[in-house]
Amino acid sequence: MIPEAVPAHAPLELEHFLPYRLSILSNTVSQGIAAEYVERFQLSMTEWRVMTILARFPEVSAREVVERTAMDKVAVSRAVARLVEAGRVDRGTHDGDKRRSVLKLSDAGWAIHDEVAPLARAHERELLAKLDEAERVQLDRILDKLLA
Amino acid sequence: MIPEAVPAHAPLELEHFLPYRLSILSNTVSQGIAAEYVERFQLSMTEWRVMTILARFPEVSAREVVERTAMDKVAVSRAVARLVEAGRVDRGTHDGDKRRSVLKLSDAGWAIHDEVAPLARAHERELLAKLDEAERVQLDRILDKLLA
DNA sequence: CCGTTATAGTTTCACCTGTAACCATTTGCA
DNA sequence: TGCAAATGGTTACAGGTGAAACTATAACGG
């Protein structure tokens, strides 16, 4: 038996470690977009996410927002409270179930949405411009699988 | 001129919006891994990240950790402070530059590293198992490009 | 040399976040 | 019916986070 050298410890190589790379990429991208609206509209990232859901599915309850965004229910509750406070979202009560809220963008909310959405899309395009068409298709398929 | 209907507003479709999908995926994966060590070792995600850097690049300064992780310098400072406090990292001072710290894992730090690293790798394997070999190669190339 | 500027790292502050406990309402079933 | 369990949503608390200000040391330029 030849004596072994130091057992090596096998450190992770972060630069090839998928969860790490995803985290860096996601943070970079999201913060890049957020930088455009956080200051300009005093709008947090969670608030913006809620707004995008309300834009796409009007008259939903807070619970549906939670389901559709995978955000924490407390985070949604607070984001909605701030949006209502700021006059960007109208909150009503569901007929027949007084627990449920009914949320929708106000005119002011829509105005902000219509300014921010194109900025967000532009960022996405910029990101995707780094890939060729085949790669874009591949990425889409891969994300579908990983998110399933 | 035919009067237009409602101007449409063109809401983002989050479920096809790349930054959003990346964010969901990244959070799911990172939290899945963190769930394994946060409770068990009283170790935060930022502390673990610092440890992985120190495992791979012994004797670095806090600044180098910042550069390699894209983490905030304040976050690193605090994570290091807690790790030192817990006896998992030894902090020295650089010869010839008293501002710089010299960080490395202690034996206790290595022991934790050697337990957590395989768990992290197992999670990565589990995630990648959803893809076939061609897709894994594609994903790697795509991430290289997007992160460049 | 000596004063200005830059750098490594920490502290402070104001805010965001998740967990758990909570309140009000509704549902389910005995 | 009527009461326990479930559900929608908020509040309280105990951290975590980044920006900006601060301290100590080092580098630079006259």
Side-chain angles (χ1 to χ4, degrees):
Chain A
M1 288 292 169
I2 297 167
E4 286 183 23
V6 178
H9 285 307
L12 286 180
E13 303 188 9
L14 282 191
E15 61 273 38
H16 299 124
F17 187 58
L18 179 58
Y20 175 74
R21 301 177 83 198
L22 282 175
S23 168
I24 298 284
L25 179 60
S26 169
N27 287 344
T28 308
V29 172
S30 286
Q31 281 171 24
I33 301 177
E36 302 245 30
Y37 58 73
V38 168
E39 187 121 355
R40 195 155 141 216
F41 298 100
Q42 318 277 52
L43 190 67
S44 78
M45 212 162 84
T46 45
E47 288 169 64
W48 168 243
R49 282 207 181 156
V50 170
M51 289 183 70
T52 61
I53 297 294
L54 300 187
R56 197 152 144 58
F57 308 98
E59 313 264 323
V60 298
S61 67
R63 194 182 133 277
E64 282 177 78
V65 174
V66 169
E67 283 172 3
R68 292 188 181 280
T69 53
M71 285 167 53
D72 187 80
K73 100 196 224 188
V74 178
V76 169
S77 170
R78 281 189 278 237
V80 168
R82 281 191 300 265
L83 288 167
V84 170
E85 170 71 22
R88 292 164 175 178
V89 165
D90 295 330
R91 170 162 46 187
T93 303
H94 185 93
D95 306 345
D97 186 344
K98 291 178 201 156
R99 291 170 309 178
R100 245 175 267 185
S101 56
V102 178
L103 306 169
K104 60 180 171 184
L105 292 177
S106 67
D107 290 347
W110 275 114
I112 291 176
H113 173 273
D114 292 350
E115 281 205 71
V116 176
L119 297 176
R121 262 191 274 266
H123 264 272
E124 185 191 34
R125 264 198 309 277
E126 202 180 311
L127 186 64
L128 287 172
K130 296 179 173 179
L131 305 179
D132 60 38
E133 183 53 28
E135 289 165 335
R136 284 193 278 270
V137 172
Q138 289 164 5
L139 178 57
D140 213 55
R141 262 173 45 83
I142 289 170
L143 286 178
D144 278 342
K145 284 190 168 191
L146 293 181
L147 285 165
Chain B
M1 288 292 168
I2 298 166
E4 287 183 22
V6 178
H9 286 307
L12 287 181
E13 304 188 7
L14 282 192
E15 60 273 37
H16 299 126
F17 187 57
L18 179 59
Y20 175 73
R21 300 178 84 197
L22 283 176
S23 168
I24 298 285
L25 179 60
S26 170
N27 288 344
T28 307
V29 172
S30 287
Q31 281 171 24
I33 301 176
E36 303 245 29
Y37 58 74
V38 167
E39 185 122 355
R40 195 156 141 213
F41 299 99
Q42 317 276 53
L43 189 67
S44 78
M45 212 161 84
T46 44
E47 288 169 63
W48 169 243
R49 284 211 179 151
V50 171
M51 289 182 71
T52 61
I53 297 294
L54 299 188
R56 197 152 147 58
F57 308 99
E59 313 266 324
V60 297
S61 67
R63 193 181 134 278
E64 282 177 78
V65 174
V66 168
E67 283 172 1
R68 290 186 183 281
T69 53
M71 284 167 56
D72 187 79
K73 98 196 222 188
V74 179
V76 170
S77 170
R78 281 188 279 237
V80 168
R82 280 191 300 265
L83 288 168
V84 170
E85 170 70 22
R88 293 163 174 178
V89 165
D90 295 330
R91 170 164 44 189
T93 302
H94 185 94
D95 305 347
D97 187 345
K98 292 179 202 157
R99 293 171 306 177
R100 246 176 266 184
S101 56
V102 178
L103 306 170
K104 60 180 170 185
L105 293 177
S106 67
D107 290 346
W110 274 114
I112 290 175
H113 172 274
D114 291 350
E115 280 206 71
V116 176
L119 296 176
R121 261 191 275 265
H123 264 272
E124 184 192 35
R125 264 197 309 277
E126 202 180 311
L127 185 65
L128 287 173
K130 295 178 173 179
L131 305 179
D132 60 38
E133 184 52 29
E135 288 165 336
R136 284 193 278 269
V137 172
Q138 290 164 5
L139 177 57
D140 212 57
R141 263 173 44 82
I142 289 170
L143 286 178
D144 277 343
K145 284 191 169 189
L146 293 180
L147 285 165

